[in-house]
Amino acid sequence: MAKQNVAEQFVDILVRAGVKRLYGVVGDSLNPVVDAVRRNRAIDWVHVRHEETAAFAAGAEAQITGKLTACAGSCGPGNLHLINGLYDAHRSMAPVLALASHIPSSEIGLGYFQETHPDQLFRECSHYSELISSPKQMPRLLQTAIQHAVGRSGVSVVSLPGDIADDPAPDKPLETALVTSRPTVRPGDAELDAFVRMIDEADRITLFCGSGTAGAHAEVMEFAEKVKSPVGHALRGKEWIQYDNPFDVGMSGLLGYGAAYEATHECDLLILLGTDFPYNAFLPDDVKIAQVDVRPENLGRRSKLDLAVWGDVKETLRCLTPRVKEKQNRRFLDKMLKKHADALEGVVKAYTRKVEKHVPIHPEYVAAVLDELADDDAVFTVDTGMCNVWAARYISPNGRRRVIGSFSHGSMANALPMAIGAQFTDRKRQVVSMSGDGGFSMLMGDFLTLVQYDLPVKVVLFNNSSLSMVELEMLVAGLPSYGTTNKNPDFAAVARACGAHGVRVEKPKELAGALKDAFKHKGPALVDVVTDPNALSIPPKISTEMVTGFALSASKIVLDGGVGRMLQMARSNLRNVPRP
């Protein structure tokens, strides 16, 4: 039997860790690894057109499956292209292993062609970034990288010179058992005792939930019922906590709606559950705050805490709920539910009035129709910008749908690459990329990846020929919009030229039929919807401090912004509110 080289050993370890695909672009320093993938039937090479797409796709796959994924780039410029997608995966807590191929080991430090220092470059967007400078470091270094990515939920980067990848692997290498899943984390008894006392002493409690509530929907609902608490959420908590939630008061933040802001400010105890919500201007500074998070470094970095609880949400609530006293008074909860319903009643008109005649098409209307027609288990990938607004307000979660985007890193051009990774996990599951024309055109080359692999991703393009979120930022600063206009092609014609289904929609009455046809199409499809560039949105509660670093406008040219089917949920919850 021929002796393994380092590249073959590298690939075998990835397979043993459960990696199914390696996303990347081939190149000379990467060739030994790519060839090892070619000869290993347990793993596939996914050839994308840009390495940034590879990293975004791997991050999306990891978010959908919860398992380790991998991407790769060749030396120098090749692996540098990975960095933006890796930042996003790392900040999204997605377990991703990135292979940064490197120049010949004998030339490192000598200004060689395409020389960079990837082991240093990727340190800020990873838990672990190291260089393999000798075959003897394998497989221990790769195993350590995998355990960092899985155990700490983020990115690990391994830099591997091409010549070392081609060297013989060590004889009888030590292969330890790999960590492939995370444990639950329970708070200490002292913290739980203090938490119980704080809850029992409070009269008005509000829960504000983030992505850390994934898998804990039942526990959150049970706790909210016991303490009669309204439940708000951040954008990344929406898909996990909003559905089947009789305590729902909407979302806070710059994309927010409903009564979440009031609920967090009018309580006397705010409990932050699994959220690293970045906009501290939306958090109160005059109520008691307790925070539960599995990452201790997140505790207290957004607001002053009265109690920090280190633990995952599900296990913490399992320990906590049986111990707290059940509250009988639900006046605060009922008041917030009514405020929430009233707030939604006031804005829903924005996408229901004269939509059949409004040209260009209201983007709110596009999102509402998409929400209605998409599958109950669809995966939505969402571009940064105004698409975030429409997804936040119109896509209805139900416990089976997924909504992922660059919600922590805030990168443009993420939706299409993420859709690639999401679709590879299950070709039969509907995957919809909610793309803006700016983001789509930035990495448009990877629409060809959909065609090459016949991935049935459906791209719904919100085409307003502008960078509308940036225009909002300029409005906030009192500046005229400049450099924000896009001169776009007929994207549907481009899609057809690539070999995909493509249709352009300019009239509202054409929209539903175009979406239905795209969803029925077995391969990739693009629906190019010409939308109103003047359709902008503001949150329900604003102040000058809230606008810093984000788009917000107090001008009268903005629309109210609708909220889709969430009004129905709010009305339904009101049935339980006692009438005077």
Side-chain angles (χ1 to χ4, degrees):
M1 182 177 178
K3 185 178 178 62
Q4 270 195 328
N5 64 16
V6 169
E8 291 168 324
Q9 189 181 71
F10 190 101
V11 171
D12 280 352
I13 293 171
L14 290 185
V15 169
R16 196 157 59 88
V19 174
K20 304 295 185 184
R21 280 162 289 276
L22 191 57
Y23 299 90
V25 179
V26 298
D28 54 359
S29 59
L30 195 55
N31 287 345
V33 174
V34 175
D35 189 61
V37 171
R38 178 184 65 83
R39 290 180 281 108
N40 191 316
R41 294 184 179 181
I43 189 171
D44 293 323
W45 176 262
V46 179
H47 166 48
V48 297
R49 304 305 174 102
H50 195 295
E51 289 91 349
E52 184 175 348
T53 295
F56 272 127
E61 180 183 332
Q63 290 182 68
I64 295 296
T65 65
K67 297 178 180 178
L68 182 71
T69 61
C71 57
S74 60
C75 63
N79 61 58
L80 274 177
H81 283 157
L82 294 170
I83 198 164
N84 193 46
L86 292 182
Y87 260 100
D88 183 83
H90 193 56
R91 299 187 70 181
S92 299
M93 297 179 67
V96 174
L97 188 286
L99 169 59
S101 185
H102 205 2
I103 64 172
S105 57
S106 60
E107 304 301 322
I108 295 174
L110 299 174
Y112 191 70
F113 176 65
Q114 295 187 324
E115 181 174 7
T116 60
H117 293 88
D119 54 315
Q120 300 175 35
L121 286 166
F122 291 103
R123 282 181 181 164
E124 190 175 329
C125 63
S126 67
H127 291 304
Y128 184 86
S129 181
E130 293 293 344
L131 170 69
I132 295 179
S133 55
S134 165
K136 294 180 181 179
Q137 292 173 271
M138 282 286 289
R140 289 179 299 154
L141 190 145
L142 178 56
Q143 291 170 341
T144 301
I146 289 170
Q147 289 171 183
H148 273 78
V150 174
R152 299 183 65 184
S153 293
V155 171
S156 284
V157 183
V158 174
S159 302
L160 177 61
D163 59 313
I164 292 179
D166 215 16
D167 283 346
D171 291 326
K172 297 181 180 178
L174 296 173
E175 292 193 359
T176 59
L178 292 171
V179 171
T180 56
S181 61
R182 300 184 68 204
T184 57
V185 179
R186 177 193 182 280
D189 290 337
E191 286 74 22
L192 282 171
D193 290 342
F195 208 178
V196 170
R197 287 193 299 271
M198 181 179 285
I199 292 166
D200 287 346
E201 291 169 1
D203 293 321
R204 304 181 308 278
I205 299 173
T206 293
L207 308 183
F208 187 67
C209 302
S211 62
T213 58
H217 183 276
E219 287 78 8
V220 174
M221 295 303 107
E222 181 184 3
F223 180 72
E225 169 63 36
K226 194 164 188 181
V227 300
K228 306 302 183 285
S229 168
V231 178
H233 58 268
L235 178 55
R236 290 193 65 200
K238 174 184 172 74
E239 63 177 329
W240 305 114
I241 216 67
Q242 187 195 28
Y243 69 95
D244 294 340
N245 180 356
F247 315 100
D248 178 53
V249 291
M251 189 169 80
S252 190
L254 287 161
L255 308 185
Y257 55 83
Y261 183 89
E262 288 89 345
T264 57
H265 283 72
E266 296 180 24
C267 62
D268 54 22
L269 174 60
L270 174 61
I271 301 177
L272 306 175
L273 293 176
T275 179
D276 192 29
F277 181 70
Y279 304 111
N280 55 9
F282 284 88
L283 295 174
D285 55 12
D286 57 352
V287 304
K288 287 186 176 181
I289 301 178
Q291 183 179 2
V292 179
D293 206 291
V294 74
R295 283 189 165 181
E297 66 268 26
N298 291 353
L299 295 170
R301 70 177 181 177
R302 307 300 183 196
S303 59
K304 181 179 179 298
L305 296 184
D306 295 275
L307 182 65
V309 181
W310 182 10
D312 65 65
V313 172
K314 187 169 187 173
E315 190 65 23
T316 298
L317 292 181
R318 281 179 172 175
C319 297
L320 181 69
T321 302
R323 296 182 56 186
V324 299
K325 296 177 183 177
E326 183 167 4
K327 298 188 183 298
Q328 304 302 320
N329 188 336
R330 54 175 289 152
R331 280 180 295 179
F332 177 64
L333 170 60
D334 293 342
K335 177 184 176 182
M336 290 301 114
L337 290 176
K338 188 174 188 310
K339 279 193 173 186
H340 180 57
D342 290 346
L344 300 195
E345 291 277 5
V347 299
V348 73
K349 66 181 183 293
Y351 77 97
T352 58
R353 294 171 59 189
K354 300 179 181 179
V355 293
E356 293 294 334
K357 298 179 180 180
H358 189 90
V359 177
I361 302 170
H362 277 307
E364 303 99 322
Y365 177 64
V366 179
V369 174
L370 175 61
D371 178 58
E372 182 180 343
L373 296 180
D375 289 350
D376 287 341
D377 65 345
V379 177
F380 298 88
T381 60
V382 184
D383 258 344
T384 297
M386 295 308 295
C387 284
N388 269 196
V389 178
W390 314 138
R393 295 189 173 189
Y394 294 91
I395 301 304
S396 304
N398 58 12
R400 298 172 63 200
R401 285 178 166 180
R402 294 297 311 274
V403 182
I404 60 176
S406 188
F407 299 143
S408 296
H409 187 49
S411 173
M412 283 184 67
N414 62 286
L416 173 64
M418 285 181 167
I420 292 171
Q423 192 71 83
F424 264 114
T425 66
D426 185 351
R427 286 178 171 269
K428 294 182 180 179
R429 189 175 186 181
Q430 188 181 78
V431 176
V432 180
S433 172
M434 294 177 64
S435 298
D437 57 290
F440 179 77
S441 57
M442 184 177 283
L443 285 175
M444 189 166 60
D446 269 293
F447 188 79
L448 296 170
T449 302
L450 301 183
V451 177
Q452 180 159 333
Y453 288 95
D454 196 28
L455 292 173
V457 169
K458 314 307 177 190
V459 178
V460 179
L461 189 60
F462 289 70
N463 181 5
N464 61 8
S465 298
S466 69
L467 303 176
S468 53
M469 189 64 83
V470 180
E471 288 185 352
L472 269 175
E473 293 170 345
M474 291 178 173
L475 283 171
V476 171
L479 301 172
S481 59
Y482 182 77
T484 59
T485 301
N486 295 327
K487 185 176 181 180
N488 289 329
D490 181 335
F491 287 110
V494 172
R496 292 192 297 271
C498 293
H501 174 85
V503 61
R504 185 175 175 90
V505 178
E506 297 181 352
K507 297 179 180 179
K509 64 182 180 181
E510 302 169 349
L511 177 63
L515 289 174
K516 289 177 182 177
D517 289 345
F519 290 157
K520 289 177 184 176
H521 184 71
K522 293 183 179 180
L526 182 145
V527 181
D528 180 8
V529 187
V530 180
T531 59
D532 187 352
N534 294 318
L536 307 176
S537 183
I538 59 174
K541 292 290 182 180
I542 59 173
S543 67
T544 304
E545 309 88 71
M546 294 174 184
V547 308
T548 304
F550 207 84
L552 183 66
S553 175
S555 82
K556 297 299 183 182
I557 69 169
V558 302
L559 298 179
D560 291 332
V563 288
R565 288 190 282 177
M566 284 174 276
L567 178 60
Q568 299 171 17
M569 181 185 296
R571 287 172 174 167
S572 176
N573 291 345
L574 269 182
R575 294 171 188 164
N576 299 318
V577 177
R579 295 294 186 267

